Every structure is written in C-alpha cells, then in structure tokens.
Amino acid sequence: EIWKKASDAWSKKHYISLYNRDDFLELCCVIFSSQVALSDGEFKDVEREYLGNVEGLKNFEGLTLPSTEPSIKILCQLINKKYKLHDKLDLINTLFAMAEADRIIRNEEVELIKEISDLLKIPNSEFEGIKNKSAANIADMKAQEAAIIEQETIDEEFSDIDFEEDD
C-alpha cells in the first residue's frame, strides 16, 4: 500500500487513496489546520493543543506521509468533486477556529484560509460572514479575559476590607 513506504512527494496515488477514504474531509481539515497554524511562522502550544482535538488527526496514525506538503489546490479540487457547500463551510469554520486558538487572527492565516475558500468555490459573502464571526469571537474572548483580570485586580486591591456580603 502507498501509505506504508516513505516518499518525498505526493503522487496521484496518494491523492486518490486519500480521496477514496471515508474520512477524506477530516484528513483535509487536519492538513489545512496545520498549515493555518504554521502560516505565521509559529506553532504555539495552544495551536498544537487545538490541532490535537481536530477530528481526523488520529486517522493519520499508521500512515507514512510524503515528506513534502500536499498541494492545497489539488486537495480543494478533490473536495469540490466530493462535497457540498455546507461541508466546505464547516471546513472554513474549523480553519478559523484554528486561527482563533491563540486569540490572534493574523493576516497570514486569513490569507491562507481565503485561498482555500476561493479554491473551494465558496461565495465571498459566506467567507466574509465566517471571518467576521471569528473576529467577533476573538473580541468576546478578550473582553471576558479583561473582565476577569479587572475583577481579580479589584479583589486583590480590596482584599484587606471585610465586606459584608448582601445575598
């Protein structure tokens, strides 16, 4: 089998074998998520943790992958052949969740997700909607973190006061 021997580059057999698997979309999600995580030149622990939870990661166990990255273009063409828009939107949502993992969505991450979105023939309005929702998620997370820090600061500053609690 193609996945048992080491190779330098992805071949047609690799792509077709992957395409014929029931978990093809999940495997593509893992591949794309790792590329999004690495697109800014860093692979943070929180991104590594998120990737570890992406459905499909365990499906790579036992596979000897080629040493080069697979072609995003070819994988997207194969996804287009096999899946409907809602499946592709789920994939883009997952990629933005990966980008959100470190609470900063970098331009490099957005550009790569946009490239994948375009190759998947996702309407720009759908892409922008997902991107804006993701940005809102980041803003919410940062606001919650700020509120927690503010409360901790207040608690610390007034720790010497014995307040009577009104319950």
Side-chain angles (χ1 to χ4, degrees):
E1 175 170 317
I2 189 108
W3 301 109
K4 295 203 188 295
K5 57 184 175 179
S7 66
D8 292 331
W10 284 73
S11 68
K12 182 178 179 180
K13 287 182 179 181
H14 285 105
Y15 290 109
I16 299 301
S17 175
L18 207 63
Y19 176 83
N20 287 327
R21 291 177 58 120
D22 292 336
D23 57 356
F24 172 62
L25 192 61
E26 289 85 6
L27 293 171
C28 288
C29 184
V30 171
I31 291 167
F32 293 160
S33 291
S34 65
Q35 291 175 334
V36 167
L38 294 168
S39 67
D40 62 1
E42 300 178 49
F43 193 38
K44 298 182 179 121
D45 288 341
V46 67
E47 292 171 322
R48 192 173 281 109
E49 182 181 326
Y50 181 85
L51 187 60
N53 292 323
V54 171
E55 189 175 330
L57 183 63
K58 66 184 179 310
N59 299 344
F60 278 105
E61 291 175 8
L63 300 182
T64 303
L65 299 176
S67 57
T68 59
E69 291 288 324
S71 163
I72 290 173
K73 181 180 178 183
I74 293 171
L75 290 175
C76 287
Q77 289 172 331
L78 293 169
I79 290 169
N80 286 333
K81 190 171 182 64
K82 193 170 188 174
Y83 295 97
K84 303 241 182 272
L85 178 61
H86 69 90
D87 297 311
K88 297 186 278 186
L89 292 173
D90 287 346
L91 174 61
I92 296 300
N93 269 303
T94 300
L95 297 181
F96 268 108
M98 179 75 233
E100 288 175 26
D102 62 358
R103 295 187 172 35
I104 300 169
I105 301 176
R106 302 193 189 288
N107 288 337
E108 299 90 348
E109 294 168 327
V110 174
E111 289 167 9
L112 178 57
I113 297 169
K114 176 65 172 150
E115 176 187 348
I116 292 167
S117 180
D118 288 344
L119 289 168
L120 293 175
K121 301 176 181 168
I122 292 174
N124 193 55
S125 60
E126 295 279 3
F127 171 81
E128 289 296 326
I130 295 169
K131 181 178 92 171
N132 292 338
K133 185 183 87 176
S134 191
N137 288 344
I138 293 288
D140 287 348
M141 283 188 267
K142 287 184 176 181
Q144 289 171 358
E145 288 170 357
I148 290 169
I149 290 169
E150 182 179 338
Q151 186 60 49
E152 288 172 350
T153 302
I154 289 170
D155 291 347
E156 188 176 306
E157 184 176 341
F158 296 100
S159 65
D160 59 333
I161 308 296
D162 187 20
F163 289 100
E164 293 180 18
E165 295 298 319
D166 298 329
D167 289 318

